[in-house]
Amino acid sequence: MKNLLQTMSNLEKLKIEMESTYIDGYQWKTIIENYLLNLIIFQFKMSTPLSNQDNKEDKIDEILNSFYSQFWIEKHQWFIQCYWITADTSSIVYVYTLPYAFQDFFYIGNVRLKSTCPNNNQCWSFDSIHNLYYGHFLSQNLSLSHIHLDNIHYLDLTIPFDESFWLMVSTLERLNSLNIVLYSNKDLIDIHSKLQILFDRSPHLC
């Protein structure tokens, strides 16, 4: 990665998504100051594992601290967010710039968010998300109601789901592709009712 970026000194915009690859804020700062002096727009999404042995909060703070500096906050106003699952098992933490700049978003409930943005109201823009993978089960009642997804074209939805889904997805006007995963069929009447509401709010589904 470093060798590639060394050849792009005139780069003004960089958008990069790295699966299972993580570069901390100190390393990015060094790369940018040495090789990308003309960079104006910087958008990334990275991930790094969290193990059972990790204190998750301490690990998240360690990640975010590398992006807390005058270089990130004041000079460029590039703000970073961490997204991770709060379960006890091993998990992945996603690290990305705000506003979120990528088309895919995975939400499976029991998640936490923490960012370097001093005013979240200025950073909560998720308009770029077109593909939502939503697996928020009823037993997981932690919602992210401050995230509003109004531009969904593809929806992968686990059923049953609760009302927190509609707090995040206020409209399905642009939805044209739907994949449903039936997690439980204990209450078929409720499932049918939720599906009917979903279809009624999705005018462009064929």
Side-chain angles (χ1 to χ4, degrees), residues 161-174:
F161 61 92
D162 62 17
E163 291 304 312
S164 62
F165 172 78
W166 296 114
L167 295 177
M168 292 178 61
V169 183
S170 58
T171 178
L172 291 171
E173 291 286 334
R174 295 179 175 85

Side-chain angles (χ1 to χ4, degrees), residues 2-94:
K2 179 180 177 180
N3 292 337
L4 176 63
L5 293 175
Q6 286 179 2
T7 66
M8 301 181 179
S9 59
N10 293 322
L11 200 65
E12 295 183 355
K13 178 179 179 179
L14 175 61
K15 181 177 181 180
I16 184 168
E17 184 170 2
M18 299 183 292
E19 292 289 339
S20 303
T21 301
Y22 172 69
I23 301 174
D24 68 28
Y26 306 121
Q27 294 170 302
W28 273 122
K29 178 177 180 292
T30 298
I31 292 171
I32 293 168
E33 289 185 329
N34 287 337
Y35 310 115
L36 302 175
L37 294 176
N38 294 313
L39 192 63
I40 299 172
I41 299 174
F42 185 31
Q43 300 166 323
F44 66 71
K45 181 180 178 182
M46 308 179 290
S47 61
T48 185
L50 293 175
S51 70
N52 284 332
Q53 287 71 40
D54 288 332
N55 182 311
K56 288 184 171 60
E57 289 286 347
D58 288 346
K59 182 67 174 179
I60 298 303
D61 287 341
E62 178 184 327
I63 291 171
L64 289 176
N65 283 340
S66 71
F67 294 96
Y68 265 121
S69 70
Q70 188 271 342
F71 173 85
W72 292 98
I73 305 298
E74 298 177 20
K75 181 178 180 180
H76 292 288
Q77 296 187 354
W78 291 334
F79 302 113
I80 313 303
Q81 185 167 76
C82 289
Y83 169 108
W84 75 101
I85 300 170
T86 58
D88 292 333
T89 56
S90 298
S91 60
I92 301 294
V93 55
Y94 296 94

